[in-house]
Amino acid sequence: MNVFSIQRGVGLVEVMVALLLLAVAVLGFSAMQLSAVKATDESLMRTQSLSAIKTLSESMRVLPDSSSVYRKQINDIYKSSSSENLIASYCTKVDEYAVSAKKCNTTNCTSDEVVNYNVGAIVKSACSKDIILNIEICPNTSRVNERQCIIAAWNQTKPTMVDEKASCTDASGSYKPAASCFIMEAY
């Protein structure tokens, strides 16, 4: 009996096992790539939302006596949006609002007109990045030390602080586990 006849087909089995291991490795690498892309997208949304919040906060600080006007304008835009397909509805309201805001600078406009113009520009920029903005009074702050919570939300998270499933936080201000949002306190 020939030694080579006993080993016939073993090379083919080794090649098939090697291909199977290679396929498993490629699938693992693909899953890792998908996870990295998701993490990058989330990081981009966080960075853009922080930029929108910071812009709004700085705009509010320029006109400190107008913070309630900012809150009202931002709230009116958000609250007039439909909860179904939230971002599309919100962006439609943003476009309507931005068109109606008078283009001005501080020398030609009242402070309310400046607020309207600033709000229009800020929410339009946020909306172009699929970010929804809202301002609420922060929980557990008194009238003497009242703080505004500027909320930026994305991925169908509602920019609210209520006990509701899709809300950013619960009524006490604790983030919900699946929420995609950021909150910044402004004085």
Side-chain angles (χ1 to χ4, degrees), residues 117-178:
Y117 178 72
N118 289 346
V119 166
I122 293 166
V123 293
K124 191 161 181 69
S125 174
C127 188
S128 71
K129 299 169 183 117
D130 292 337
I131 297 169
I132 302 171
L133 297 175
N134 194 17
I135 301 175
E136 294 188 4
I137 296 173
C138 296
N140 304 322
T141 59
S142 65
R143 285 209 166 286
V144 174
N145 194 20
E146 184 176 88
R147 286 171 269 163
Q148 317 264 354
C149 281
I150 303 171
I151 309 165
W154 60 96
N155 290 345
Q156 296 299 319
T157 298
K158 294 180 180 180
T160 56
M161 302 175 83
V162 295
D163 292 324
E164 186 179 296
K165 184 179 179 185
S167 182
C168 178
T169 71
D170 59 22
S172 70
S174 297
Y175 281 98
K176 295 200 173 173

Side-chain angles (χ1 to χ4, degrees), residues 29-78:
F29 179 74
S30 297
M32 185 177 66
Q33 274 299 102
L34 184 60
S35 177
V37 167
K38 284 181 182 178
T40 300
D41 288 346
E42 182 69 14
S43 175
L44 177 64
M45 289 304 293
R46 288 173 182 249
T47 301
Q48 290 174 335
S49 67
L50 282 173
S51 176
I53 289 173
K54 186 175 179 183
T55 301
L56 182 55
S57 175
E58 289 173 356
S59 182
M60 290 170 66
R61 287 181 189 208
V62 170
L63 297 167
D65 295 335
S66 299
S67 63
S68 62
V69 179
Y70 273 97
R71 185 174 67 236
K72 181 183 181 327
Q73 296 299 328
I74 296 284
N75 283 339
D76 287 349
I77 295 169
Y78 170 69

